[in-house]
């Protein structure tokens, strides 16, 4: 079981020694997984504990909120993904201007050395840390000599060996930016390839306009506060995971319901292959669910009336079923 700490003061005094890395880890994509897997191996070889230090909120939301990137996943899903890798612990640092003002040495000494008792620090060639991003790899190596820890350098969060290519057919470095680009275009297949799993959103199921129910396609509508990057408008095949962990196949709609002149964007999941029971007996309202996006079926289209929409929705359900159950 992974330990989750929300402040360095919560780390038990006898927890170390540790092998540590730090970063935002938005998406916990395959590049992150490569680094963290190597960190875990190093920890096991040295009889140490493996720890990832991450930050909440994302530093960009503090320094430049007007241009901060939309996060791929919320903190809860990030912690789940980190825990699934087999880490011993995750330290979530509250990111603030005060934390950002620490010099590289203050950050390393206070967090990595004093709190985590780091024997090894794992970082990338281009890592930056401390006030004004003034710390780099050479800084960390100097601090390692001063405080007695070993610095292990990872080449980069690369896609070497991964069957993932950009539009030019060339290998591309795995990155959170690449995932966001793919989701912005509705390309959830590429996003899943970079992430190593389907993209997920998490949120409470709330009441909507009930149009889907009236048309015979009841949907679980995610609240506007749901976490996770919203893909491009369209219809997707995917899964809905309820609070008890049941995975339901689903046709997912993202958009503003143009057939009915909708305005606000919504994420709605229609569970398919549902047991034959009255709709009112299949009640997800108030539950916090996870929606996973597997494949995009089509873009969002305004149809000439409900009849044409219902016919297309029937086709969408069949296509979603075929995609989900042939995998």
């Amino acid at each position: 079981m992974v330990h989750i700490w929300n402040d360095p003061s919560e780390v038990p005094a006898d927890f170390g020694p540790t092998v540590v890395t730090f970063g935002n880890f938005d998406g916990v994509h395959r590049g992150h997984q490569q680094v963290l897997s190597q960190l875990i191996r190093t920890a096991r070889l040295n009889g140490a504990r493996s720890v990832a230090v991450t930050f909440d909120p994302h530093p960009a939301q503090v320094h430049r909120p007007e241009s901060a990137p939309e996060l791929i996943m919320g903190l809860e899903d990030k912690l789940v993904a980190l825990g699934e890798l087999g880490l011993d612990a995750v330290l979530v640092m509250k990111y603030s201007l005060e934390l950002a003002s620490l010099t590289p040495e203050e950050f390393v000494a206070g967090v990595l050395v004093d709190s985590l008792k780091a024997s090894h620090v794992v970082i990338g060639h281009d890592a930056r840390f401390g006030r004004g991003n003034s710390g780099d790899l050479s800084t960390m190596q100097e601090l390692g000599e001063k405080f007695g820890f070993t610095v292990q350098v990872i080449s980069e969060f690369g896609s070497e060996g991964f069957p993932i290519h950009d539009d030019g057919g060339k290998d591309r470095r795995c990155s959170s930016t690449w995932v966001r680009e793919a989701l912005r275009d509705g390309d959830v297949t590429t996003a899943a390839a970079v992430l190593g799993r389907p993209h997920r959103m998490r949120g409470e199921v709330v009441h909507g306009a009930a149009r889907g129910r009236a048309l015979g396609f009841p949907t679980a509508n995610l609240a506007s506060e749901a976490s996770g990057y919203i893909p491009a408008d369209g219809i997707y095949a995917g899964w809905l995971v309820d609070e008890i962990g049941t995975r339901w196949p689903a046709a997912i709609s993202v958009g503003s319901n143009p057939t009915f002149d909708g305005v606000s964007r919504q994420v709605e999941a229609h569970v398919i292959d549902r047991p034959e029971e009255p709709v009112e007996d299949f009640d997800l309202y108030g539950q916090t669910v996870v929606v996973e996006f597997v494949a995009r079926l089509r873009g969002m289209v305004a149809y000439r009336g409900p009849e044409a929409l219902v016919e297309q929705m029937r086709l969408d359900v069949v296509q979603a079923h075929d995609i989900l159950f042939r995998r």
Side-chain angles (χ1 to χ4, degrees), residues 185-188 217 231-237 251-255 257-259 293 295-303 306 308-320 323:
D185 295 337
D187 186 359
V188 296
F217 296 88
D233 288 2
I235 306 300
Y236 298 84
I252 306 161
S253 169
V254 177
N257 295 315
T259 301
F293 298 83
R296 191 174 194 233
L297 307 183
R298 61 178 176 86
M300 189 61 70
V301 178
Y303 291 91
L309 175 60
V310 167
E311 180 60 30
Q312 181 59 58
M313 291 167 76
R314 291 195 183 102
L315 296 175
D316 293 338
V317 166
V318 171
Q319 187 178 1
I323 288 173

Side-chain angles (χ1 to χ4, degrees), residues 190-307:
T190 293
V194 181
L195 289 168
R197 63 184 179 286
H199 172 59
R200 300 166 181 163
M201 292 187 65
R202 180 186 299 269
E204 182 182 353
V205 177
V206 297
H207 290 274
R211 293 195 185 99
R213 183 180 296 258
L215 296 174
F217 296 88
T219 59
N221 303 335
L222 295 189
S224 59
E225 299 83 10
S227 64
Y229 194 109
I230 303 176
D233 288 2
I235 306 300
Y236 298 84
W239 300 89
L240 182 149
V241 185
D242 63 23
E243 283 189 340
I244 63 173
T246 305
R247 294 172 59 82
W248 300 95
I252 306 161
S253 169
V254 177
S256 56
N257 295 315
T259 301
F260 298 98
D261 298 321
V263 176
S264 60
R265 297 183 76 213
Q266 294 178 312
V267 177
E268 309 172 57
H270 168 64
V271 170
I272 60 180
D273 287 355
R274 183 178 55 80
E276 293 302 323
E277 60 185 32
V279 169
E280 57 270 19
D281 291 343
F282 188 72
D283 186 0
L284 297 173
Y285 291 122
Q287 286 196 33
T288 296
V289 302
V290 172
V291 173
E292 298 182 351
F293 298 83
V294 173
R296 191 174 194 233
L297 307 183
R298 61 178 176 86
M300 189 61 70
V301 178
Y303 291 91
R304 294 184 178 180
E307 295 80 8

Side-chain angles (χ1 to χ4, degrees), residues 94-151:
K94 179 177 173 55
Y95 194 85
S96 63
L97 293 177
E98 181 180 1
L99 178 62
S101 71
L102 296 179
T103 66
E105 181 167 342
E106 288 171 337
F107 171 73
V108 169
V111 178
L112 306 188
V113 177
D114 292 346
S115 295
L116 294 173
K117 309 296 189 299
S119 61
H120 294 70
V121 175
V122 177
I123 64 172
H125 282 287
D126 57 357
R128 309 291 298 197
F129 60 99
R131 183 187 303 159
N133 281 333
S134 56
D136 58 13
L137 173 57
S138 63
T139 308
M140 187 64 78
Q141 290 171 329
E142 291 170 4
L143 293 171
E145 293 178 1
K146 179 175 181 177
F147 292 110
F149 59 78
T150 300
V151 177

Side-chain angles (χ1 to χ4, degrees), residues 172-185:
R172 177 177 177 180
R173 173 185 178 183
C174 289
S175 69
S176 301
T177 298
W178 190 3
V179 176
R180 294 188 193 101
E181 288 175 0
L183 294 175
R184 182 190 62 210
D185 295 337

